[in-house]
């Protein structure tokens, strides 16, 4: 039964959970490092801002298309296989980015590979890992486990950003050309993909779900009872991610370099600090959610962070701009574990990989469109602050819409008498999903 570990399998379940956390850690270190050098690296090898914007968009759209197929079929073809395949796609994309500056090849690798220009999750990993963890832990621990999962991820991104900045600075000091120093980070990204494949190969069948369809025929997207709920959430998450695409880490790093002429090591340190704050805030999100609920936690913490985002570009000096980024980071990611937990709670057990995948893909798709407009704006001295204003304003719209649609639809375990009652929980979940 999902969320319940059979007697005698606890050690195996713990080992599986540990492997999922290790895979998450490795991946987010790579994402964090790539985010602070990718746009600068592409600029160094001669790509125009418009071309870079197209490349970033195709990177995210390609991840979306591949992830859509993988995540909606993961419960049929095997979650372990999907995780390994995604890891190999990471390694392959990095190889092409590292060895060529030919735009057609870069566009091809961006489309079919798995690259993260944002420092955030892309590819099939998040959806499959969420569904797998939900199967390994009971409902009452789900939000807490997701909070630790996101804490680990944020810490890993922070470490990756710091290590990449220091590595580039060190290589420059040793006489390497700037483009070669940044290329080393791209190569490291590919090596991490190979390491992840080895980690995921060791997962047991305990993460897999029995064949879906016991209560109905699943659709092509792997959904049945929860289709309307998932589509509503996906639409809202796409708006939020579209807004976030204007201020991806790689673009903000480029803005800091061009606006304030900061050194790579300083930029790496800034993103180390922002991700560290985001990591700590994840645990606070779980604490708040236990008291006010998942939806309220998502909205109440996200609104003020968007105001801080709008203030970033109006700061006249680098320390004040960084201060706004740090203040925003301390609360902006508190909606992440609660959002993930809520999505897993309100869908049927055999829809979880698909639901997590579809909502995640909606976010990736929304995010993918923004760089086409954001990159030329960030590169323009007179309009460089506009992406921050657009991002903050659109995110406020998302928060208000989420509150309006879902404030009266709590997760099953938040309903009085629902905690610990798996039958009642699943029944309530399916009632809400329709």
């Amino acid at each position: 039964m999902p969320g319940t570990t059979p007697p005698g399998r606890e050690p195996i379940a713990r080992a599986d959970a540990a492997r999922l956390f290790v895979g998450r850690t490795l991946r987010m270190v790579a994402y964090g490092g790539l985010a602070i050098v990718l746009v600068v690296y592409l600029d160094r090898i001669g790509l125009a801002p418009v071309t870079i914007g197209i490349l970033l968009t195709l990177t995210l759209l390609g991840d979306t298309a591949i992830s859509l197929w993988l995540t909606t079929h993961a419960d049929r073809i095997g979650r372990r296989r999907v995780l390994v395949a995604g890891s190999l796609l990471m390694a392959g994309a990095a190889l092409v980015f590292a060895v060529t500056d030919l735009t057609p090849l870069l566009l091809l690798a961006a489309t079919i590979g798995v690259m993260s220009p944002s420092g955030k999750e892309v590819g099939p990993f998040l959806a499959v890992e969420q569904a797998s963890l939900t199967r390994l832990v009971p409902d009452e621990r789900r939000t807490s486990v997701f909070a630790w999962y996101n804490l680990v991820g944020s810490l890993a991104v922070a470490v990756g950003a710091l290590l990449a900045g220091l590595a580039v600075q060190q290589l420059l000091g040793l006489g390497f050309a700037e483009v070669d120093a940044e290329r080393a980070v791209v190569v490291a990204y590919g090596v991490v993909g190979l390491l992840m494949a080895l980690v995921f190969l060791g997962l047991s069948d305990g993460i897999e779900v029995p064949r879906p369809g016991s209560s109905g025929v699943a659709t092509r997207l792997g959904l049945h009872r929860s289709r309307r709920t998932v589509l509503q959430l996906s639409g809202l998450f796409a708006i939020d991610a579209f807004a976030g695409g204007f201020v991806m880490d790689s673009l903000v790093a480029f803005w800091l370099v061009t606006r304030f002429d900061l050194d790579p090591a300083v930029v790496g340190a800034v993103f180390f600090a922002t991700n560290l704050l985001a990591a700590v805030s994840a645990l606070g999100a779980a604490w708040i959610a236990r008291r006010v609920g998942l939806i309220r936690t998502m909205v109440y913490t996200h609104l003020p962070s968007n105001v801080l985002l709008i203030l970033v570009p109006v700061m006249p000096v680098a320390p004040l701009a960084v201060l706004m980024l740090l203040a925003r980071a301390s609360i902006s990611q508190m909606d992440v574990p609660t959002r993930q937990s809520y999505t897993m709670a309100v869908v049927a057990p055999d829809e979880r990989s698909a639901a997590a995948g579809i909502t995640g893909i909606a976010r990736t798709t929304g995010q993918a469109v923004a760089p086409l407009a954001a990159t030329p704006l960030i590169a323009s001295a007179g309009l460089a602050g506009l992406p921050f204003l657009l991002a903050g304003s659109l995110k406020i719209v998302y928060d208000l819409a989420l509150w309006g649609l879902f404030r009266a639809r709590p997760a099953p375990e938040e309903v009085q008498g629902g905690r610990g009652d798996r039958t009642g929980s699943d029944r309530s979940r399916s009632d809400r999903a329709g």
Side-chain angles (χ1 to χ4, degrees), residues 363-421:
R363 292 187 60 81
T364 304
T365 304
Q367 188 181 63
V369 179
L372 287 173
T375 305
L377 291 175
I378 287 282
S380 171
L383 300 174
L386 187 57
F388 294 89
L389 175 61
L390 291 172
S393 300
L394 286 170
K395 281 177 173 289
I396 289 173
V397 171
Y398 154 76
D399 290 327
L400 297 178
L402 178 69
W403 176 254
L405 283 174
F406 288 96
R407 70 180 185 275
R409 300 163 68 178
E413 67 267 20
E414 293 174 346
V415 179
Q416 186 175 4
R419 185 180 298 276
D421 180 2

Side-chain angles (χ1 to χ4, degrees), residues 89-364:
L89 288 173
M90 277 184 62
L95 174 64
V96 175
F97 270 67
V99 302
T100 184
D101 58 359
L102 296 176
T103 301
L105 291 179
L106 292 173
L107 293 174
L108 178 63
T111 303
I112 65 175
V114 174
M115 299 285 282
S116 175
S118 63
K120 304 296 188 297
E121 279 283 10
V122 295
F125 306 107
L126 182 66
V128 178
E129 289 173 354
Q130 285 176 6
S132 300
L133 287 169
T134 300
R135 182 162 176 77
L136 296 172
V137 302
D139 282 353
E140 60 268 19
R141 292 186 54 205
R142 186 185 58 249
T143 302
S144 178
V145 169
F146 280 8
W148 282 102
Y149 174 82
N150 283 280
L151 182 147
V152 167
S154 295
L155 284 176
V157 171
V159 170
L162 182 63
L163 290 177
L166 292 174
V168 170
Q169 197 75 38
Q170 183 67 24
L171 291 172
L172 292 176
L174 292 174
F176 281 75
E178 291 175 325
V179 67
D180 291 329
E182 290 147 2
R183 182 179 286 114
V185 177
V186 178
V187 172
Y189 181 93
V191 172
V192 168
L194 296 176
L195 292 175
M196 286 170 52
L198 293 176
V199 170
F200 290 140
L201 279 171
L203 289 167
S204 78
D205 292 338
I207 68 165
E208 309 292 354
V209 69
R211 293 287 182 179
S214 59
S215 59
V217 178
T219 70
R220 292 180 183 176
L221 295 179
L223 301 173
H224 42 89
R225 296 174 298 184
S226 309
R227 185 168 61 89
R228 188 177 68 178
T229 297
V230 171
L231 292 179
Q232 288 176 331
L233 289 170
S234 296
L236 292 173
F237 294 166
I239 294 172
D240 180 44
F242 173 71
F246 282 93
V247 287
M248 293 190 304
D249 285 359
S250 55
L251 292 175
V252 175
F254 182 75
W255 180 79
L256 288 170
V257 170
T258 55
R259 171 76 182 274
F260 299 113
D261 196 27
L262 298 183
D263 290 332
V266 175
V267 175
V270 169
F271 283 95
F272 172 80
T274 57
N275 284 287
L276 184 64
L277 288 171
V280 175
S281 72
L283 295 182
W287 183 85
I288 295 172
R290 285 195 298 268
R291 285 153 179 79
V292 303
L294 295 170
I295 293 296
R296 286 184 174 85
T297 302
M298 293 162 66
V299 174
Y300 292 174
T301 61
H302 211 227
L303 278 171
S305 76
N306 299 327
V307 176
L308 292 169
L309 178 61
I310 292 171
L311 293 176
V312 170
V314 302
M315 296 296 106
V317 293
L320 290 178
V322 170
L323 179 62
M324 292 298 104
L325 289 172
L326 293 174
R328 174 180 180 258
S330 67
I331 55 176
S332 66
Q333 297 302 301
M334 295 180 79
D335 72 312
V336 176
T338 46
R339 179 183 72 226
Q340 294 166 349
S341 182
Y342 184 80
T343 303
M344 293 293 95
V346 297
V347 302
D350 63 352
E351 298 175 292
R352 284 172 177 155
S353 289
I358 292 167
T359 54
I361 287 163
R363 292 187 60 81
T364 304

